[in-house]
Amino acid sequence: VLVCMIGLAIMPTRAQQSPPMLRLHRGTFDGKQSQRSSSMLSSAVANYAIIQFFQPPTIKQRAALEQTGVQIIEYIPDYAYLVRGSDDQFATAAKLDGVYGRFAWTIADKLAPSVLDFVQSNANQAMQVRVIDWKGNVTTTTYRSAQATFDLNQPLAINQITSLAQNDAIRWIEPVGKPRLLNDQART
């Protein structure tokens, strides 16, 4: 009995545990402590949110999350899911047992780190990008949105890249790399 009491006294409670961290391409941070800037890149993407748990979600917690009506898109380290749904569904999901918090999925979360750096640099240059939709389809030639048609064979200016990122149909924007042949293993 004495060993159990000491063990319970030593075990950290939920309040004492360090908060789970969100590990996104744009950085690692505590979602509740992250400083939101007023830039357009920190704008929330409509119909998407991150639901994060205190600990690895159990099968029961994942099922409860799905029962709120949200669609689970993918897992995000640590202990979070990117979900699609309505604000009411997100609010219900945030109240589930074991949920640490609900956080916005932002425009910056759609940009590869090098594209994000380029956009934040405010450079008067252009960058050639590749667009990936939510189904994983890659667009490298043209992309048509309700506002405009983008020729992805040409480098895009910062305002064009941010305009693309605001589109709900786009999941990811990354730079187009030039393939190069590496023959450093042939000898071995």
Side-chain angles (χ1 to χ4, degrees):
V1 173
L2 183 61
V3 171
C4 288
M5 289 176 59
I6 292 172
L8 289 174
I10 294 174
M11 285 180 52
T13 62
R14 183 175 288 174
Q16 295 171 332
Q17 290 177 351
S18 61
M21 302 301 280
L22 279 175
R23 300 176 195 283
L24 301 172
H25 287 285
R26 65 182 163 99
T28 299
F29 53 90
D30 175 0
K32 288 187 178 179
Q33 301 299 321
S34 83
Q35 297 294 329
R36 289 282 182 207
S37 69
S38 59
S39 80
M40 186 274 309
L41 293 173
S42 63
S43 304
V45 176
N47 303 319
Y48 293 92
I50 298 170
I51 303 294
Q52 187 176 32
F53 290 84
F54 281 100
Q55 299 175 338
T58 63
I59 294 171
K60 187 176 179 180
Q61 287 172 320
R62 182 182 165 111
L65 180 60
E66 289 173 330
Q67 287 176 355
T68 65
V70 299
Q71 176 188 3
I72 296 175
I73 305 297
E74 63 188 38
Y75 175 80
I76 298 175
D78 289 342
Y79 323 137
Y81 292 107
L82 173 60
V83 296
R84 181 183 304 145
S86 67
D87 284 336
D88 291 339
Q89 291 169 329
F90 298 153
T92 303
K95 295 177 187 172
L96 292 174
D97 184 45
V99 170
Y100 176 65
R102 164 195 169 186
F103 309 108
W105 179 252
T106 67
I107 291 172
D109 297 323
K110 293 177 152 194
L111 302 176
S114 58
V115 176
L116 182 58
D117 290 344
F118 172 74
V119 169
Q120 290 175 329
S121 74
N122 289 322
N124 195 12
Q125 298 175 346
M127 174 184 265
Q128 193 164 356
V129 297
R130 178 184 354 249
V131 173
I132 301 171
D133 68 14
W134 288 99
K135 295 178 183 176
N137 299 321
V138 178
T139 305
T140 56
T141 54
T142 59
Y143 185 84
R144 288 179 182 81
S145 70
Q147 296 85 11
T149 299
F150 299 93
D151 181 2
L152 300 177
N153 288 318
Q154 301 297 320
L156 301 179
I158 290 174
N159 63 339
Q160 292 173 309
I161 293 172
T162 55
S163 179
L164 272 173
Q166 291 174 4
N167 191 314
D168 287 347
I170 293 175
R171 164 65 177 93
W172 186 247
I173 299 174
E174 62 187 21
V176 173
K178 300 218 185 279
R180 60 188 179 125
L181 181 62
L182 296 176
N183 196 16
D184 60 340
Q185 299 296 316
R187 243 189 168 138
T188 54

PDB file of all heavy atoms in Angstrom, residues 23 31 35 48 50 63 80 134 143 155 186:
ATOM      1  N   ARG A  23       4.022  19.412 -34.288  1.00  0.00           N
ATOM      2  CA  ARG A  23       5.217  19.370 -35.123  1.00  0.00           C
ATOM      3  C   ARG A  23       4.783  19.490 -36.583  1.00  0.00           C
ATOM      4  O   ARG A  23       4.462  18.504 -37.224  1.00  0.00           O
ATOM      5  CB  ARG A  23       5.989  18.080 -34.872  1.00  0.00           C
ATOM      6  CG  ARG A  23       6.424  17.967 -33.429  1.00  0.00           C
ATOM      7  CD  ARG A  23       7.120  16.663 -33.104  1.00  0.00           C
ATOM      8  NE  ARG A  23       7.197  16.442 -31.685  1.00  0.00           N
ATOM      9  CZ  ARG A  23       8.056  17.032 -30.855  1.00  0.00           C
ATOM     10  NH1 ARG A  23       8.909  17.896 -31.324  1.00  0.00           N
ATOM     11  NH2 ARG A  23       8.042  16.768 -29.567  1.00  0.00           N
ATOM     12  N   GLY A  31       0.453  24.528 -29.282  1.00  0.00           N
ATOM     13  CA  GLY A  31      -0.636  25.223 -29.973  1.00  0.00           C
ATOM     14  C   GLY A  31      -1.303  26.295 -29.132  1.00  0.00           C
ATOM     15  O   GLY A  31      -1.723  27.322 -29.651  1.00  0.00           O
ATOM     16  N   GLN A  35       2.232  32.164 -30.756  1.00  0.00           N
ATOM     17  CA  GLN A  35       1.875  33.553 -31.020  1.00  0.00           C
ATOM     18  C   GLN A  35       1.360  33.648 -32.447  1.00  0.00           C
ATOM     19  O   GLN A  35       2.039  33.280 -33.377  1.00  0.00           O
ATOM     20  CB  GLN A  35       3.103  34.457 -30.838  1.00  0.00           C
ATOM     21  CG  GLN A  35       3.647  34.464 -29.436  1.00  0.00           C
ATOM     22  CD  GLN A  35       2.689  35.094 -28.446  1.00  0.00           C
ATOM     23  OE1 GLN A  35       1.935  35.989 -28.789  1.00  0.00           O
ATOM     24  NE2 GLN A  35       2.693  34.609 -27.226  1.00  0.00           N
ATOM     25  N   TYR A  48     -11.188  23.378 -41.987  1.00  0.00           N
ATOM     26  CA  TYR A  48     -10.113  22.510 -41.515  1.00  0.00           C
ATOM     27  C   TYR A  48      -9.655  22.970 -40.136  1.00  0.00           C
ATOM     28  O   TYR A  48      -9.626  24.166 -39.856  1.00  0.00           O
ATOM     29  CB  TYR A  48      -8.918  22.524 -42.483  1.00  0.00           C
ATOM     30  CG  TYR A  48      -9.229  21.892 -43.802  1.00  0.00           C
ATOM     31  CD1 TYR A  48      -9.701  22.640 -44.865  1.00  0.00           C
ATOM     32  CD2 TYR A  48      -9.081  20.507 -43.983  1.00  0.00           C
ATOM     33  CE1 TYR A  48     -10.012  22.055 -46.079  1.00  0.00           C
ATOM     34  CE2 TYR A  48      -9.382  19.917 -45.194  1.00  0.00           C
ATOM     35  CZ  TYR A  48      -9.850  20.699 -46.236  1.00  0.00           C
ATOM     36  OH  TYR A  48     -10.159  20.117 -47.436  1.00  0.00           O
ATOM     37  N   ILE A  50      -7.094  21.458 -36.462  1.00  0.00           N
ATOM     38  CA  ILE A  50      -6.257  20.445 -35.826  1.00  0.00           C
ATOM     39  C   ILE A  50      -6.863  20.167 -34.459  1.00  0.00           C
ATOM     40  O   ILE A  50      -7.078  21.095 -33.677  1.00  0.00           O
ATOM     41  CB  ILE A  50      -4.811  20.937 -35.674  1.00  0.00           C
ATOM     42  CG1 ILE A  50      -4.190  21.208 -37.042  1.00  0.00           C
ATOM     43  CG2 ILE A  50      -3.977  19.926 -34.883  1.00  0.00           C
ATOM     44  CD1 ILE A  50      -2.848  21.917 -36.995  1.00  0.00           C
ATOM     45  N   ALA A  63     -12.619   6.993 -32.419  1.00  0.00           N
ATOM     46  CA  ALA A  63     -14.011   6.723 -32.799  1.00  0.00           C
ATOM     47  C   ALA A  63     -14.926   7.849 -32.314  1.00  0.00           C
ATOM     48  O   ALA A  63     -15.827   8.277 -33.048  1.00  0.00           O
ATOM     49  CB  ALA A  63     -14.453   5.379 -32.235  1.00  0.00           C
ATOM     50  N   ALA A  80      -2.189  14.491 -32.613  1.00  0.00           N
ATOM     51  CA  ALA A  80      -3.195  15.360 -33.223  1.00  0.00           C
ATOM     52  C   ALA A  80      -3.667  14.802 -34.560  1.00  0.00           C
ATOM     53  O   ALA A  80      -2.991  13.996 -35.189  1.00  0.00           O
ATOM     54  CB  ALA A  80      -2.631  16.765 -33.405  1.00  0.00           C
ATOM     55  N   TRP A 134      -5.828  17.689 -52.129  1.00  0.00           N
ATOM     56  CA  TRP A 134      -6.080  16.843 -50.955  1.00  0.00           C
ATOM     57  C   TRP A 134      -6.074  15.360 -51.280  1.00  0.00           C
ATOM     58  O   TRP A 134      -5.913  14.526 -50.394  1.00  0.00           O
ATOM     59  CB  TRP A 134      -7.400  17.234 -50.295  1.00  0.00           C
ATOM     60  CG  TRP A 134      -7.286  18.546 -49.599  1.00  0.00           C
ATOM     61  CD1 TRP A 134      -7.682  19.769 -50.072  1.00  0.00           C
ATOM     62  CD2 TRP A 134      -6.701  18.795 -48.324  1.00  0.00           C
ATOM     63  NE1 TRP A 134      -7.379  20.754 -49.172  1.00  0.00           N
ATOM     64  CE2 TRP A 134      -6.778  20.182 -48.080  1.00  0.00           C
ATOM     65  CE3 TRP A 134      -6.116  17.984 -47.354  1.00  0.00           C
ATOM     66  CZ2 TRP A 134      -6.303  20.769 -46.914  1.00  0.00           C
ATOM     67  CZ3 TRP A 134      -5.650  18.580 -46.195  1.00  0.00           C
ATOM     68  CH2 TRP A 134      -5.743  19.949 -45.984  1.00  0.00           C
ATOM     69  N   TYR A 143      -3.097  25.592 -63.089  1.00  0.00           N
ATOM     70  CA  TYR A 143      -4.083  25.384 -62.028  1.00  0.00           C
ATOM     71  C   TYR A 143      -5.168  26.428 -62.205  1.00  0.00           C
ATOM     72  O   TYR A 143      -4.887  27.626 -62.236  1.00  0.00           O
ATOM     73  CB  TYR A 143      -3.454  25.502 -60.635  1.00  0.00           C
ATOM     74  CG  TYR A 143      -4.438  25.159 -59.558  1.00  0.00           C
ATOM     75  CD1 TYR A 143      -4.649  23.841 -59.198  1.00  0.00           C
ATOM     76  CD2 TYR A 143      -5.204  26.145 -58.954  1.00  0.00           C
ATOM     77  CE1 TYR A 143      -5.585  23.511 -58.235  1.00  0.00           C
ATOM     78  CE2 TYR A 143      -6.142  25.818 -57.998  1.00  0.00           C
ATOM     79  CZ  TYR A 143      -6.331  24.509 -57.649  1.00  0.00           C
ATOM     80  OH  TYR A 143      -7.272  24.185 -56.711  1.00  0.00           O
ATOM     81  N   PRO A 155       7.545  30.810 -63.206  1.00  0.00           N
ATOM     82  CA  PRO A 155       7.680  31.193 -61.793  1.00  0.00           C
ATOM     83  C   PRO A 155       6.547  32.137 -61.388  1.00  0.00           C
ATOM     84  O   PRO A 155       6.093  32.959 -62.180  1.00  0.00           O
ATOM     85  CB  PRO A 155       9.035  31.900 -61.737  1.00  0.00           C
ATOM     86  CG  PRO A 155       9.778  31.390 -62.932  1.00  0.00           C
ATOM     87  CD  PRO A 155       8.737  31.143 -63.982  1.00  0.00           C
ATOM     88  N   ALA A 186      28.115   4.188 -57.887  1.00  0.00           N
ATOM     89  CA  ALA A 186      28.434   3.212 -58.938  1.00  0.00           C
ATOM     90  C   ALA A 186      29.703   2.426 -58.652  1.00  0.00           C
ATOM     91  O   ALA A 186      29.775   1.235 -58.938  1.00  0.00           O
ATOM     92  CB  ALA A 186      28.550   3.925 -60.288  1.00  0.00           C
TER      93      ALA A 186
END
